[in-house]
Amino acid sequence: MISWRKHYKTLLIGVGLLLSTSASVHAQDGDPANGEKLFKANCTACHALDKQVVGPALGGIVAKVKADAGLGPDWLHKWIKDNKTLRESGDKYANEIFAKFNKVEMPQFQSLTDKDVDDILAYTTNPPEAPAADAATAARRRTPTRCPFLDPLR
């Protein structure tokens, strides 16, 4: 017979880890490639992944919101789609963010679907890596090539 008391602590730790990572797992449900397109079309006027522009840097925003306020992707959906209503409802974290960024009103994106928002959150969580060009390829692009037919000294 299995003694559940021996495994109780392990089970609790496992459940705790599962619950603490649910925000990042939810964000990964989206399509980062589509999220990148949507991010560039809708967000880059005020946001970047790695630095504050008008609004905060959005790289890792799902984990940041979870760590700062214990809120998950559902809160981010509400914020992105209609942050004004969220602030007017008295949401403490929404009002803190609004005040922190000089009360600059973020546009409402009610036309974005839940899938669109999930895709954007997936992109901010796991942006696709850009292919790195090697130094030789970059040097060839900068160095003009000579045409043997036009260069008689060659």
Side-chain angles (χ1 to χ4, degrees), residues 87-148:
R87 290 191 323 269
E88 289 173 350
S89 75
D91 186 284
K92 183 181 175 191
Y93 190 61
N95 285 302
E96 286 175 13
I97 297 298
F98 184 62
K100 182 177 179 180
F101 290 93
N102 301 318
K103 297 187 177 184
V104 174
E105 186 115 1
M106 180 176 148
Q108 298 174 21
F109 293 99
Q110 294 176 345
S111 63
L112 292 175
T113 66
D114 286 337
K115 173 144 180 25
D116 291 340
V117 176
D118 283 338
D119 291 351
I120 292 169
L121 295 177
Y123 170 67
T124 63
T125 301
N126 297 311
E129 292 183 27
D134 61 82
T137 304
R140 270 188 261 125
R141 288 185 189 148
R142 288 190 301 265
T143 307
T145 58
R146 293 182 169 229
C147 177

Side-chain angles (χ1 to χ4, degrees), residues 48-69:
L49 291 178
D50 58 347
K51 64 183 176 185
Q52 178 179 327
V53 185
V54 174
L58 295 182
I61 194 65
V62 174
K64 181 176 181 359
V65 168
K66 179 77 173 168
D68 289 354

